[in-house]
């Protein structure tokens, strides 16, 4: 079914935001701060790999992705990339919220 996917989901209503639950972290849902920290770490490691293995990695592409991850890690624009922990956190929150809404309200 072309065109159906999770990337177009709107953020869920507040009552369905599993990432805002008081017990979210205990249940395994990382905080935004944790995801931002992870993106900054990924950016540093990606830059290091690009510098260490320039003949094996597209250094320009790696540096560009590292810049996007660094921006997401410092509260800037979040790239639509599976490499970004912040982006994936947002996607999980949207999917979980949509499923919860569907179960509670029948998809309203």
């Amino acid at each position: 079914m072309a065109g159906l996917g999770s990337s177009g989901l709107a953020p869920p209503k507040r009552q369905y935001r599993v990432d805002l639950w008081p017990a979210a972290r205990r249940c395994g849902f990382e905080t935004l701060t944790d995801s931002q920290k992870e993106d900054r770490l990924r950016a540093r490691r990606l830059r290091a790999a690009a510098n260490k293995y320039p003949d094996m990695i597209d250094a320009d592409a790696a540096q560009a992705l590292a810049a996007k991850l660094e921006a997401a890690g410092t509260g800037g624009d979040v790239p639509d990339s599976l490499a970004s922990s912040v982006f994936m956190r947002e996607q999980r929150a949207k999917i979980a919220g949509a499923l919860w809404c569907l179960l509670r309200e029948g998809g309203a």
Side-chain angles (χ1 to χ4, degrees):
M1 299 182 132
L4 297 177
S6 61
S7 62
L9 283 174
K13 297 178 200 174
R14 186 165 178 79
Q15 72 251 36
Y16 299 119
R17 291 279 309 267
V18 297
D19 57 318
L20 300 180
W21 284 357
R25 186 166 178 115
R26 194 172 60 242
C27 294
F29 208 98
E30 72 274 30
T31 65
L32 177 59
T33 301
D34 289 340
S35 290
Q36 289 173 328
K37 183 178 177 182
E38 180 65 24
D39 274 357
R40 291 191 307 270
L41 175 65
R42 290 176 185 185
R44 283 193 307 275
R45 288 182 174 173
L46 187 55
R47 287 185 180 112
N51 290 333
K52 189 172 182 177
Y53 305 105
D55 55 332
M56 301 174 84
I57 295 175
D58 181 342
D60 292 336
Q63 295 293 349
L65 178 56
K68 291 178 181 180
L69 294 174
E70 185 71 32
T74 55
D77 290 337
V78 178
D80 291 343
S81 173
L82 300 178
S84 171
S85 180
V86 175
F87 175 76
M88 292 305 297
R89 178 184 185 277
E90 290 174 357
Q91 296 306 302
R92 285 190 297 279
K94 287 179 183 180
I95 292 167
L99 290 171
W100 188 11
C101 180
L102 180 64
L103 290 170
R104 293 282 280 204
E105 300 179 11

